[in-house]
Amino acid sequence: MRARGARGGRTALVLALGGAGAIVLVALLAPVLAPYPEDATGAAETAQLLRPPSAAHWFGTDELGRDVFSRVLYGARIGPVVAVAVVTVSLVVGTVIGVVAGYFGGWIDELLMRLTDVFLAVPALLLALALATVLAPGPVGLTVALTVTWWPWYARLVRGETASVVGRPYIEACRALGLGHRRTLVRHVLPNASTPLLVQASTDVGGVLLVASGLSFLGLGPQPPTPDWGLMVEQSQNYFTTHWWLGTFPGAAIMLVAGVCFLLGDVVRDRFDPRHVPRPTQRA
Amino acid sequence: MKRARSGRGRPMIRYAARRSVLSALVAFGVVVLTYLIARVVPSDPAGVWAGPRASAVERARVRAELGLDRPVAEQIVSYLTGVSRGDWGLSVLTHRPVLTDLLTRLPNTLQLVLAGMVIGLAVGIPAGLFAARWHGGTVDRLVRSGALLSAAIPTFWLALLLQTLIASRLDLLPIAGSYDRAVMGAHPVTTVTGLPLLDAVLTGNGVAATDLLDHLLLPALVVASYPAAVLARMVRASILDAVGEPHIQMVRALGFPERVVLGRFALRLAWNPVLQLTALIFGYSLVNTFLVEAVFDYPGLGRYAADAVQSLDVPAVVGVTLLVALLYLAANLAVDLAQAALDPRVALR
């Protein structure tokens, strides 16, 4: 039983790491890999409207005659990049707030955590939707809106981890040795919170991508002719019954990337914390 | 220890009071947050509030009406009193009070979310149980990859695929909407609870119930996809964790069949996290339905929100945000209290 679990774990690890690497490569090399790079944005080719998948156009062409395969490849430079940016900034903001709350405790903790509660009381997709509506539509507005909704999760996580080590003897030793707050926090408290944070972050890139694509689908993200996956699915709506390839491939791309992120999170967690029981955390 | 013995009711009451006060505080914070989104974040709040097509005169009127020239603290107070009195602003799109609009659409969304959650629970919990029972085997692997896939699938895409395949190509279920006009005209539903399907069932209106169910099935399946996935994962992990507990090993050593050990004894330890997760899923699904409703043209809050977003109807968007946040808070409070009632230790923490 043990051996079988370990072997399953290795397959998952290879899948997750290989998948993540492939996605990064596609995003970096999109201009080289795409057969029709100019189709990613402008170019309309009226002679090639709505062609089904063929050798020349693997994923067919869309209502403006653009190559869907090229656009899907270029899409790897939009949604996933927004997701990584959101998670990175949220991680930094959330970590600072969480560490301060957990380390100092008292009224600072109370104040920061009640603030966090307020943000957590509004489901992420909804808060981001409201914010994206009042901000200018586009990838930047989308990133800002999602970051505002995402940091509280890290703040709460880091606060918990911090509070759990603050009472330990080695932190007391740091104090007794006369280390400053900053040094104690950065060198001794934070490293202990980094594993659960990393696990959460890799899973969250997938979660943020799903929410971002959803907002994009509602028209709150990048605007046409950007080859964003969510937007492409939205634009395919009117043609879906008769031209399935328009929306199917961009949607599959979202699922693939989100799936790889979730798998990566699982694999990392299994490595570092094999006895883990998922606690209810909200994804979106 | 002493406190626990002195009276079973007391810590429970104190816990309930504490939770309620905290929830009220958070609700207050949420109102302030929506105020910030509506009137501070936009560079021209009056313009945004009046809608993109408003004239200069209209904008000036809205500015005066919202009191945007007054100090911020005063604005917040008047916003708060307005919200608590039910004055959530006028929708730019429909020209009706936002709260009225919202309340007419809420039942449809609630019906959809509840149906999705029932399906999610009915699929997710057994799936998690089976995966744990044959841990490491084929069933386990199937459940785990299925859960991973249904968590990673974009809601709106799944909705489009099912709509195209089942409703449009195979013509098995209606493509969009929440009812058939002809059917409803011939068999109107009497309002009892407000939830159309439940009302149709309660009043014995079989024809209407069948029609409502037909329209509900596909969207509900899409809504159920995420809850089923997370519940399966949670139940599986909780049971595998519980198996290590001494009393479970004891039950096993006594020779109870594995089905009873897991299904009766280990599953009991999973109820608490499942309950907590259910509240989270409720909040998530409430918003997830927005995408589902947009695809199936289902006349709930989400359809309303999507329309509002498209026409930059800020009062409506903010109204939806506030309503859903308050519902979600209420659900969380209810779960916390239910948990404390089921497990008195919770109240003592």
Side-chain angles (χ1 to χ4, degrees):
Chain A
M1 200 139 124
R2 180 100 214 122
R4 193 190 282 171
R7 209 187 318 136
R10 196 164 310 141
T11 321
L13 181 72
V14 170
L15 262 178
L17 288 180
I23 293 160
V24 172
L25 275 183
V26 166
L28 285 177
L29 299 178
V32 184
L33 295 173
Y36 306 91
E38 69 281 6
D39 287 9
T41 48
E45 304 197 24
T46 38
Q48 304 276 341
L49 298 187
L50 297 166
R51 294 281 170 85
S54 63
H57 300 282
W58 290 2
F59 292 176
T61 64
D62 67 6
E63 72 279 10
L64 291 174
R66 297 171 298 194
D67 180 47
V68 176
F69 180 60
S70 301
R71 287 174 63 74
V72 168
L73 289 185
Y74 267 91
R77 298 183 145 197
I78 303 164
V81 173
V82 167
V84 170
V86 168
V87 169
T88 312
V89 179
S90 309
L91 199 63
V92 173
V93 175
T95 303
V96 170
I97 291 181
V99 148
V100 167
Y103 182 74
F104 292 104
W107 67 269
I108 300 180
D109 184 24
E110 199 64 29
L111 183 77
L112 289 175
M113 283 306 110
R114 292 298 81 77
L115 185 71
T116 310
D117 282 347
V118 170
F119 279 87
L120 291 179
V122 191
L125 176 59
L126 187 63
L127 185 55
L129 180 123
L131 272 168
T133 309
V134 293
L135 295 168
V140 178
L142 191 62
T143 309
V144 172
L146 283 166
T147 306
V148 171
T149 45
W150 225 270
W151 67 266
W153 291 103
Y154 300 116
R156 180 179 274 186
L157 183 66
V158 173
R159 187 226 164 242
E161 296 289 328
T162 308
S164 75
V165 296
V166 157
R168 303 257 177 94
Y170 78 94
I171 297 295
E172 250 173 73
C174 290
R175 289 206 186 123
L177 286 171
L179 293 191
H181 285 315
R182 182 137 52 99
R183 196 181 157 97
T184 313
L185 282 174
V186 175
R187 297 291 294 278
H188 301 279
V189 174
L190 262 186
N192 283 291
S194 55
T195 308
L197 259 183
L198 276 183
V199 170
Q200 192 63 42
S202 59
T203 306
D204 279 357
V205 171
V208 174
L209 177 69
L210 286 174
V211 176
S213 305
L215 291 174
S216 219
F217 179 77
L218 291 175
L220 287 170
Q223 300 297 307
T226 319
D228 178 71
W229 295 330
L231 187 64
M232 288 167 78
V233 176
E234 195 273 326
Q235 289 178 319
S236 77
Q237 261 193 95
N238 297 329
Y239 305 92
F240 215 106
T241 348
T242 43
H243 305 87
W244 58 271
W245 57 91
L246 290 188
T248 303
F249 293 113
I254 301 173
M255 182 164 91
L256 194 76
V257 175
V260 165
C261 293
F262 293 163
L263 195 61
L264 194 63
D266 278 5
V267 169
V268 177
R269 176 164 16 224
D270 284 349
R271 289 257 137 166
F272 290 104
D273 182 13
R275 267 188 52 95
H276 175 84
V277 176
R279 265 164 300 176
T281 52
Q282 185 196 31
R283 180 164 304 119
Chain B
M1 201 60 198
K2 203 173 174 195
R3 206 202 293 162
R5 213 176 292 155
S6 68
R8 268 187 58 115
R10 264 234 218 92
M12 183 61 204
I13 290 169
R14 203 177 306 134
Y15 175 79
R18 199 180 115 79
R19 287 296 316 160
S20 309
V21 170
L22 267 181
S23 298
L25 261 176
V26 172
F28 170 77
V30 168
V31 175
V32 173
L33 186 65
T34 56
Y35 165 84
L36 291 175
I37 292 172
R39 302 195 188 170
V40 178
V41 176
S43 48
D44 173 22
V48 160
W49 199 257
R53 257 160 280 157
S55 63
V57 183
E58 238 173 300
R59 261 186 246 166
R61 183 184 56 78
V62 168
R63 192 169 297 130
E65 225 169 67
L66 296 180
L68 290 169
D69 40 2
R70 281 177 287 152
V72 173
E74 204 181 313
Q75 284 185 50
I76 293 189
V77 171
S78 71
Y79 178 80
L80 260 175
T81 45
V83 164
S84 59
R85 273 203 213 116
D87 171 18
W88 290 25
L90 282 181
S91 159
V92 177
L93 192 63
T94 64
H95 300 288
R96 279 190 301 264
V98 169
L99 190 59
T100 320
D101 274 354
L102 292 178
L103 292 180
T104 50
R105 281 163 179 85
L106 181 62
N108 273 332
T109 295
L110 275 184
Q111 177 173 292
L112 183 53
V113 172
L114 291 179
M117 289 189 51
V118 168
I119 301 176
L121 285 164
V123 174
I125 294 179
L129 258 174
F130 286 129
R133 170 70 180 80
W134 288 285
H135 168 57
T138 316
V139 180
D140 188 22
R141 222 169 288 161
L142 276 178
V143 168
R144 289 183 80 177
S145 21
L148 189 80
L149 276 186
S150 39
I153 203 165
T155 311
F156 53 92
W157 187 63
L158 179 63
L160 265 175
L161 287 183
L162 287 183
Q163 187 188 41
T164 308
L165 209 69
I166 294 178
S168 191
R169 284 275 169 89
L170 301 177
D171 202 20
L172 292 177
L173 288 166
I175 293 179
S178 67
Y179 61 87
D180 190 313
R181 199 161 288 193
V183 173
M184 280 303 136
H187 306 270
V189 176
T190 333
T191 308
V192 185
T193 58
L195 302 179
L197 179 58
L198 192 60
D199 287 352
V201 171
L202 286 178
T203 52
N205 189 343
V207 184
T210 317
D211 179 57
L212 287 165
L213 191 62
D214 279 350
H215 283 86
L216 186 65
L217 200 56
L218 271 190
L221 273 178
V222 179
V223 172
S225 134
Y226 182 75
V230 280
L231 278 166
R233 284 174 62 112
M234 161 76 84
V235 169
R236 174 185 178 277
S238 304
I239 287 184
L240 288 182
D241 190 55
V243 167
E245 297 278 325
H247 76 276
I248 301 293
Q249 288 179 342
M250 163 83 174
V251 175
R252 213 178 237 174
L254 284 173
F256 279 97
E258 195 64 9
R259 181 172 46 82
V260 178
V261 174
L262 297 184
R264 283 246 324 262
F265 295 94
L267 187 59
R268 191 169 294 173
L269 293 177
W271 281 136
N272 248 338
V274 165
L275 202 59
Q276 228 178 323
L277 188 64
T278 307
L280 277 169
I281 293 174
F282 175 74
Y284 177 85
S285 301
L286 212 50
V287 186
N288 212 13
T289 50
F290 285 26
L291 297 164
V292 181
E293 287 177 11
V295 172
F296 287 102
D297 205 9
Y298 200 83
L301 284 181
R303 182 70 257 186
Y304 184 68
D307 288 343
V309 164
Q310 231 102 75
S311 52
L312 294 177
D313 186 347
V314 172
V317 172
V318 170
V320 172
T321 312
L322 192 56
L323 181 66
V324 170
L326 294 180
L327 277 175
Y328 179 45
L329 263 177
N332 264 318
L333 181 64
V335 163
D336 279 351
L337 296 182
Q339 237 173 355
L342 288 176
D343 180 357
R345 286 172 304 175
V346 171
L348 293 171
R349 253 179 235 153

